[in-house]
Amino acid sequence: MLEPSQIRALLEARHGDPFAALGLHADDSGRLWLRALLPGARAVGVVEAAGGRAVVSLAEREPGFFEASIPRRRKRFDYRLAVQWQDGASGEYADAYAYGPLLAEQDLALLQAGRHPRPYELLGAHAQDGGVRFAVWAPNARRVSVVGSFNGWDGRRHPMRLRHEAGVWEIFVPHAALGDLYKYEIVGADGELLPLKADPYARAAQLRPETASIVAALPAIRSLPADRAEANARRAAISIYEVHAASWRRADGGFPSWDELAASLPAYAAELGFTHLQLLPISEHPFDGSWGYQTLGLYAPSSRFGPPEGFARFVDACHAAGLGLLLDWVPAHFPADPHGLARFDGTALYEYADPREGFHRDWNTLIPNFGRDEVRQYLAGNALYWIERWRVDGLRVDAVASMLYRDYSRPAGEWIPNVQGGRENLEAIALLRRTNELVGEQAPGAITVAEESTSFPGVSAPTSAGGLGFHYKWNMGWMNDTLRYMREDPIHRRWHHDKLTFGLVYAFSENFVLPLSHDEVVHGKGSLLGKMPGDDWQRYANLRAYYGFMWGHPGKKLLFMGQEFAQVSEWNHDTQLPWDLLDDPRHAGVQRLVKDLNRLYREQPALHRLDCEAAGFEWRVADDAEQSVLAWLRKDGQGGQVLVISNFTPVPRSGYRIPVPAGVKSWHEVLNTDSAHYGGSNVGNLDAPLRAVDGTITLNLPPLATLFLLPVAGDGECA
């Protein structure tokens, strides 16, 4: 019989090794004893698993603790516990303490070393035949129990087995099932009982403000369709429609389901000619107002939009519409909510312990301990999880600059230099490189995009060449410079001409995406239309000219939702987009322009094939600051070319001369942002082809407009 002191330890949930005490055990004489800890039970019997024949009734030695020797048996056997509960319910259950160790030693060794490419396959909740296997990393905990809807949230019912080599706790709960709620009850090394913790590897979670994890199926690994890999390539046309799923369309005031979004969003984006959708973070997060950028459930699609399987259908709908899907991914920080990662096992486990490294001053969040192998493994594995389990095309990695520098947004004396005495976070750099290498090795064709706002070298260079290994980088400098220019009254733009030309000095140092993202239309910044100067007509004309300039400029494109139809107000995440604006021809005209820009961008290889290479660009007019005119060629490296001209004053300019390449005799206008079709004044050059004379063409420049010209078919090198 078990010693009374051990029984008390079990009942008080402080036993060091419950698997050594509970379940079926032999004493020194070889006699079998069976012990069960079932608080709330009135009577417990043992029956054979096959046939259900009664074997013995267990005696209740203490309330909730049952024990008896097994008569006439010397060998272990498969049994069930027949339980009558005090509330009158009853049932037969397999015993969680009848199972041996669950995770293989070699897997634990990989987890401990931080080298497992898919840690989510081992940790978390995994439904199996007859129950659920739970495993959680908490190396400094004194005790960990899984609690949930299957055991009355009682931490005494299922204390877990510690696998000391890796600090992993595990248990198989036979009667748990898909859909069950659960958390971990953890006692820290100091004996303190912590707030119940959600599972860092949970694949589903309750809708806020509830915080429990949900047992969910692990999606199968699915490779990207072959056509998607090609569509993500550096020489492909990539035009991204950035979306906050909760506020794109929510007519009834509630969150749309994934199936509702799948029925309309992919078709809308595809109709406008975008090649990719990008969603603001959809991982589970506690606060709506963070837009997902303060996530606590990195492995769980947010329950705001329904169950996870709905997200799988949404991904398929995007691909069926010919769209790639990118997700915003946030490895840079996490909130300190007590049910989350903060002091997960009573210590700074997932975060840096020193606030000079581990506290983010801008967002009041915690910074992951990028120097810890298991934390880097948790994050890199999560990146691969979204790509190969949900078949998304790639990840846009948020706040990379804050990861790269230890002094990011910190005054002198409030940050810790790296081991070399520098300001770079070498540990975060190692994580980013490892993540990009892992994605490249395991999910070829998928892409990663860095939101990085500094001049850190080689962000989109291969790791083999010393780079970070991203496929693309947001060009924040281009965005800031050009928006500052567009805010200027046209009469003053001559003094700021360099803001449009400077970007070409470094345009090919990285593989750039030109982002007009949600960040430019929040926090009092107003809408893009609201940034434009002048009277009402000029504001719309300025925006149309700016879009033309952007689509003609080297670099992939990104536009935040609502800006495709010139949203008037700043974006509000609590309401849907103001779709009624499309009843106004000015807004419908801007939407038609975006559609035609996307069409032209995709149809003309010269506008996208060498987006990231200097050979794809050539200035024709770069220095006409006085008249705020620019002209340049886009080339595809195979003879194709497009001439792009922007006039950023409200003055029409007739007889303007542009030097053109030798060998092309005539050009014709194929898109004019001043067309009446888009709401413009219809000044242009549609009457006849523009013939080159002495190496120049003479044309009419419409006010506040961008033109696209192609060589006339049969009259030059290409059409």
Side-chain angles (χ1 to χ4, degrees):
M1 298 178 69
L2 199 63
E3 291 290 333
S5 60
Q6 291 201 52
I7 296 175
R8 286 194 297 274
L10 286 169
L11 289 170
E12 294 168 7
R14 54 180 177 80
H15 196 286
D17 187 5
F19 278 83
L22 299 173
L24 194 62
H25 297 274
D27 62 18
D28 292 341
S29 68
R31 185 168 55 167
L32 292 176
W33 291 80
L34 201 151
R35 308 180 189 104
L37 184 66
L38 294 166
R42 180 167 57 84
V44 180
V46 179
V47 300
E48 291 181 340
R53 186 167 67 90
V55 176
V56 70
S57 295
L58 302 185
E60 187 174 18
R61 289 188 57 189
E62 295 283 351
F65 178 79
F66 299 82
E67 180 185 44
S69 63
I70 306 298
R72 299 179 299 279
R73 292 179 187 257
R74 292 283 176 166
K75 295 182 179 179
R76 302 181 66 85
F77 65 101
D78 192 8
Y79 64 91
R80 298 292 182 266
L81 299 175
V83 183
Q84 297 180 28
W85 300 98
Q86 292 176 0
D87 63 4
S90 63
E92 287 189 5
Y93 309 91
D95 186 0
Y97 296 93
Y99 297 87
L102 305 172
L103 298 178
E105 293 292 330
Q106 58 267 33
D107 285 331
L108 288 169
L110 285 174
L111 286 176
Q112 186 178 22
R115 296 200 307 270
H116 201 294
R118 298 174 179 86
Y120 62 82
E121 293 181 343
L122 305 177
L123 299 172
H126 294 265
Q128 300 173 339
D129 288 343
V132 177
R133 187 194 78 213
F134 297 92
V136 63
W137 178 58
N140 302 302
R142 182 179 294 182
R143 189 258 299 174
V144 180
S145 297
V146 62
V147 298
S149 54
F150 46 82
N151 64 10
W153 300 92
D154 191 332
R156 297 170 296 174
R157 290 279 302 278
H158 291 109
M160 304 171 77
R161 173 191 283 118
L162 173 61
R163 305 296 294 275
H164 292 275
E165 314 83 41
V168 171
W169 301 74
E170 63 175 18
I171 195 170
F172 181 74
V173 180
H175 57 283
L178 290 172
D180 281 346
L181 305 179
Y182 72 101
K183 285 186 177 181
Y184 295 112
E185 183 179 278
I186 300 176
V187 176
D190 60 359
E192 178 186 0
L193 180 64
L194 304 176
L196 293 181
K197 293 289 188 177
D199 187 352
Y201 285 87
R203 294 184 294 280
Q206 283 183 296
L207 178 62
R208 55 87 185 103
E210 303 302 324
T211 57
S213 302
I214 302 174
V215 179
L218 178 63
I221 291 177
R222 302 193 299 169
S223 60
L224 278 176
D227 60 329
R228 289 306 326 148
E230 181 63 28
N232 296 332
R234 188 168 177 259
R235 296 196 171 189
I238 295 180
S239 181
I240 303 165
Y241 186 52
E242 186 190 31
V243 172
H244 178 251
S247 61
W248 184 72
R249 212 183 272 277
R250 52 188 298 181
D252 62 355
F255 289 97
S257 70
W258 286 122
D259 289 320
E260 289 170 336
L261 287 167
S264 54
L265 176 53
Y268 174 81
E271 172 66 19
L272 289 187
F274 289 99
T275 65
H276 290 68
L277 278 175
Q278 179 178 310
L279 298 182
L280 272 62
I282 63 161
S283 296
E284 196 57 79
H285 52 283
F287 176 49
D288 293 354
S290 77
W291 313 328
Y293 288 103
Q294 294 190 14
T295 180
L296 275 183
L298 268 183
Y299 283 82
S302 176
S303 57
R304 289 165 174 82
F305 312 106
E309 53 268 25
F311 177 63
R313 293 189 292 271
F314 177 79
V315 176
D316 289 342
C318 290
H319 289 159
L323 294 170
L325 179 63
L326 307 176
L327 301 182
D328 271 14
W329 185 57
V330 189
H333 63 128
F334 58 86
D337 296 59
H339 70 280
L341 299 178
R343 297 190 64 80
F344 187 78
D345 65 355
T347 67
L349 185 65
Y350 281 88
E351 69 271 30
Y352 286 106
D354 192 319
R356 292 175 296 173
E357 297 177 289
F359 181 73
H360 206 299
R361 300 163 61 95
D362 289 352
W363 304 313
N364 292 320
T365 51
L366 301 176
I367 299 172
N369 185 346
F370 301 119
R372 185 152 196 166
D373 293 335
E374 298 94 336
V375 175
R376 290 203 300 265
Q377 174 181 251
Y378 167 74
L379 295 170
N382 182 252
L384 185 59
Y385 165 81
W386 285 107
I387 290 171
E388 69 175 9
R389 295 287 176 170
W390 296 101
R391 205 167 59 155
V392 302
D393 289 62
L395 305 173
R396 174 268 197 187
V397 184
D398 183 63
V400 170
S402 75
M403 300 172 67
L404 294 177
Y405 299 101
R406 287 176 162 267
D407 63 345
Y408 182 88
S409 197
R410 294 180 187 275
E414 295 189 22
W415 58 279
I416 300 175
N418 62 37
V419 293
Q420 301 172 355
R423 58 193 286 257
E424 295 81 10
N425 191 327
L426 303 179
E427 300 159 347
I429 290 170
L431 164 70
L432 294 171
R433 286 175 172 159
R434 171 57 183 151
T435 300
N436 288 326
E437 289 170 351
L438 184 64
V439 170
E441 294 164 2
Q442 302 295 329
I447 57 174
T448 58
V449 183
E451 185 216 14
E452 203 286 304
S453 56
T454 75
S455 57
F456 190 92
V459 172
S460 58
T463 58
S464 59
L468 294 183
F470 287 94
H471 296 82
Y472 300 99
K473 172 183 171 175
W474 275 20
N475 194 336
M476 311 294 282
W478 175 91
M479 176 272 297
N480 283 314
D481 285 348
T482 58
L483 282 178
R484 287 193 188 103
Y485 177 89
M486 295 306 300
R487 285 178 179 273
E488 296 289 341
D489 188 293
I491 199 171
H492 299 138
R493 285 176 176 167
R494 69 187 70 181
W495 310 113
H496 303 276
H497 196 70
D498 62 315
K499 292 216 171 2
L500 294 187
T501 59
F502 179 66
L504 273 303
V505 173
Y506 61 87
F508 311 108
S509 61
E510 302 274 6
N511 300 330
F512 279 124
V513 173
L514 309 181
L516 293 178
S517 74
H518 68 280
D519 279 330
E520 314 322 314
V521 294
V522 293
H523 302 318
K525 298 176 186 175
S527 65
L528 293 183
L529 180 67
K531 302 180 198 302
M532 301 297 130
D535 59 27
D536 199 50
W537 185 90
Q538 289 185 15
R539 288 168 57 233
Y540 287 91
N542 267 304
L543 185 63
R544 294 192 304 268
Y546 182 45
Y547 284 171
F549 173 80
M550 174 181 174
W551 259 259
H553 195 285
K556 310 308 181 185
K557 324 301 175 190
L558 181 142
L559 190 65
F560 183 57
M561 66 180 198
Q563 307 315 308
E564 78 276 13
F565 56 78
Q567 182 169 338
V568 176
S569 59
E570 184 174 281
W571 169 54
N572 180 356
H573 71 272
D574 285 326
T575 62
Q576 70 168 356
L577 295 181
W579 295 102
D580 57 325
L581 289 178
L582 287 169
D583 295 333
D584 184 325
R586 297 171 301 176
H587 295 275
V590 173
Q591 187 189 58
R592 285 193 293 272
L593 172 64
V594 169
K595 179 178 179 178
D596 286 350
L597 285 169
N598 276 328
R599 174 188 51 77
L600 188 64
Y601 174 62
R602 296 174 73 165
E603 288 177 352
Q604 295 299 322
L607 288 176
H608 64 256
R609 189 171 184 271
L610 300 182
D611 257 334
C612 306
E613 298 177 35
F617 178 87
E618 182 183 325
W619 279 120
R620 288 281 122 180
V621 176
D623 56 358
D624 189 0
E626 187 67 25
Q627 299 185 89
S628 300
V629 174
L630 303 104
W632 63 95
L633 279 174
R634 296 297 310 279
K635 301 183 286 184
D636 66 6
Q638 298 177 340
Q641 50 194 326
V642 178
L643 180 62
V644 188
I645 309 151
S646 290
N647 173 19
F648 284 110
T649 68
V651 180
R653 304 192 185 279
S654 61
Y656 195 93
R657 300 179 68 189
I658 305 280
V660 293
V664 180
K665 298 178 181 178
S666 301
W667 297 77
H668 68 109
E669 183 180 286
V670 294
L671 192 148
N672 178 350
T673 67
D674 188 52
S675 166
H677 184 59
Y678 309 130
S681 60
N682 230 27
V683 174
N685 306 272
L686 291 178
D687 294 339
L690 302 167
R691 296 195 64 82
V693 178
D694 297 329
T696 64
I697 57 173
T698 303
L699 70 166
N700 296 322
L701 290 186
L704 296 172
T706 296
L707 305 177
F708 291 77
L709 279 65
L710 290 178
V712 174
D715 201 19
E717 295 180 6
C718 69

